[in-house]
Amino acid sequence: MKYLEEFQNPELARRLLDEIRATVTRPWALMEVCGGQTHTIIRHGIDQLLPDEVELIHGPGCPVCVTPLEVIDKALEIASRPDVIFCSFGDMLRVPGSDRDLFQVRSRGGDVRVVYSPLDALKIAQQNPHREVVFFGIGFETTAPPNAMTVHQARKLGIPNFSLLVSHVRVPPAIEAIMTSPSCRVQAFLAAGHVCSVMGMGEYPELADRFQVPIVVTGFEPLDILEGVRRTVRQLERGEHTVDNAYPRAVRSEGNPAAQAMLADVFEVTDRSWRGIGTIPASGWRLSERYRDYDAEHRFSVEGITTREPAACRSGEVLQGLLKPYECEAFGTTCTPRSPLGATMVSSEGACAAYYLYRRLGTTPTPQEASPVA
């Protein structure tokens, strides 16, 4: 399969590992931004295969995980209304709110439906003109364009019973927040290739210069990760801090201008709360004034919901790279995918879910026994 099997070659992985070992001379801490990259790292044992001097810190790159608790509670409130059809991607249904999740809302009679595209929700709205249809629009710069396009299409077609519950966040402000934290240990970033395929790389050079950190745009297969690490370590050892595109098969420096134009038309930048982290200035999007009638928060008057995170859940520390999932006392005991305390345990890109899925039994091979990209 083009661009997949080629990037899972064990022999090439060994060569990259050998080059990293030959290059590194001191300890370095790298943060991978995307949760999909985290799952690749843990699934293939890349963090254990790397030399001890290279530490991979898992960042807040899971869109489900960083969706704040108050937005989850807003979704639950809206989905519980008898006149509403609430549509969402499947990975949001098990994310716990303050006292329930969307599965429980559905079991109690709420019309909660799993869809595979926001356009599916728009079609449901066309088919059910006497009911309100809400799509749960979450994610980073990758999922924002199709959600923006769907709202644009709803307005163009004159579909008044469709709205979007928005919880979109942006990566560059999160990198800035991480680097300005007093507890930050991050010395370089593996940037998310799919985000850059949409937005380009224009926002990263200023961050790399200001914080003196290399930022390497990286893909999602094992060889992508290792090549990103190799380039990052090389920069660190040389004292460099530039933006480097290690994912040219998918990323152009300018990104996708058509998607960016759609975002600029439908959304406007706003401060956004991140679950477990807090509010990061200018880190999200909301619907612009032109499309405000399609904002589910305003339509259903749920702006005032406030929440408090469960004390036992330390997912905020995991999302900030301050804690590995297995270092949390609740991991695998009182917090499991069946009874999660936080979204990092149930999301398909959550760090806690990755460790639970691949390492909870303590049978992970040693670096000497492991095979790269088994």
Side-chain angles (χ1 to χ4, degrees):
M1 184 181 295
K2 190 171 179 59
Y3 294 151
L4 184 60
E5 291 180 357
E6 297 93 328
F7 291 86
Q8 297 181 353
N9 185 299
E11 181 55 38
L12 292 178
R14 291 187 182 93
R15 292 181 189 176
L16 285 169
L17 285 164
D18 288 342
E19 187 167 345
I20 294 167
R21 292 189 190 100
T23 302
V24 67
T25 64
R26 70 191 89 171
W28 300 111
L30 289 55
M31 174 176 280
E32 83 274 2
V33 172
C34 177
Q37 294 170 338
T38 300
H39 272 251
T40 296
I41 289 165
I42 303 305
R43 178 183 179 184
H44 296 282
I46 291 173
D47 56 330
Q48 296 181 318
L49 293 165
L50 288 169
D52 292 341
E53 292 87 352
V54 179
E55 178 187 2
L56 293 178
I57 299 175
H58 314 313
C62 165
V64 174
C65 302
V66 301
T67 302
L69 185 57
E70 57 264 28
V71 174
I72 302 296
D73 281 1
K74 290 173 184 178
L76 296 168
E77 168 64 25
I78 294 170
S80 298
R81 302 190 181 193
D83 61 330
V84 167
I85 300 173
F86 193 87
C87 299
S88 172
F89 295 140
D91 54 1
M92 292 301 302
L93 269 64
R94 289 297 306 277
V95 177
S98 293
D99 58 2
R100 53 188 165 155
D101 59 31
L102 285 168
F103 264 129
Q104 290 171 308
V105 170
R106 187 163 71 175
S107 71
R108 296 168 186 171
D111 195 344
V112 177
R113 305 187 188 183
V114 174
V115 296
Y116 298 96
S117 162
L119 290 173
D120 293 341
L122 188 62
K123 184 176 181 180
I124 292 171
Q126 288 178 297
Q127 296 169 342
N128 296 270
H130 302 298
R131 298 185 67 186
E132 292 287 338
V133 177
V134 180
F135 179 73
F136 200 175
I138 70 156
F140 288 88
E141 293 92 333
T142 47
T143 55
N147 290 343
M149 181 187 66
T150 302
V151 174
H152 177 84
Q153 191 75 356
R155 187 175 184 270
K156 179 180 178 181
L157 297 175
I159 303 174
N161 61 320
F162 174 83
S163 60
L164 189 70
L165 180 60
V166 182
S167 186
H168 280 301
V169 289
R170 302 172 57 240
V171 169
I175 290 178
E176 180 175 7
I178 289 166
M179 292 307 301
T180 54
S181 170
S183 55
C184 176
R185 298 189 300 112
V186 179
Q187 297 165 291
F189 288 91
L190 302 179
H194 51 6
V195 169
C196 294
S197 71
V198 175
M199 302 304 295
M201 298 159 56
E203 293 184 87
Y204 293 102
E206 189 272 335
L207 292 169
D209 287 340
R210 182 165 28 129
F211 297 111
Q212 304 284 287
V213 292
I215 300 177
V216 178
V217 179
T218 308
F220 306 91
E221 295 302 318
L223 295 190
D224 288 323
I225 302 294
L226 289 171
E227 173 63 7
V229 172
R230 185 189 71 84
R231 295 191 186 198
T232 305
V233 169
R234 184 175 60 185
Q235 281 202 50
L236 289 166
E237 291 285 337
R238 293 175 177 177
E240 299 172 350
H241 49 272
T242 63
V243 178
D244 186 10
N245 182 10
Y247 198 37
R249 70 184 188 276
V251 174
R252 297 179 298 176
S253 60
E254 70 275 16
N256 186 326
Q260 294 167 27
M262 181 61 68
L263 289 171
D265 177 47
V266 176
F267 291 128
E268 61 186 24
V269 173
T270 186
D271 299 345
R272 182 64 72 182
S273 175
W274 294 53
R275 188 167 192 171
I277 297 175
T279 298
I280 301 177
S283 68
W285 280 301
R286 65 183 177 190
L287 289 170
S288 63
E289 191 62 39
R290 184 182 177 196
Y291 294 91
R292 195 57 51 86
D293 290 344
Y294 293 91
D295 190 331
E297 284 194 50
H298 294 290
R299 183 173 294 194
F300 296 96
S301 301
V302 292
E303 293 98 329
I305 290 178
T306 58
T307 58
R308 179 179 295 178
E309 291 282 354
C313 182
R314 303 181 68 183
S315 61
E317 295 170 84
V318 173
L319 290 169
Q320 295 177 70
L322 304 176
L323 187 79
K324 290 291 195 295
Y326 59 82
E327 295 174 326
C328 174
E329 298 83 356
F331 175 78
T333 55
T334 56
C335 182
T336 69
R338 287 186 174 273
S339 57
L341 294 177
T344 50
M345 181 56 86
V346 291
S347 169
S348 61
E349 293 189 356
C352 295
Y355 277 81
Y356 187 89
L357 179 61
Y358 300 116
R359 296 192 181 167
R360 72 184 188 277
L361 300 179
T363 57
T364 307
T366 65
Q368 292 74 27
E369 297 168 335
S371 171
V373 299

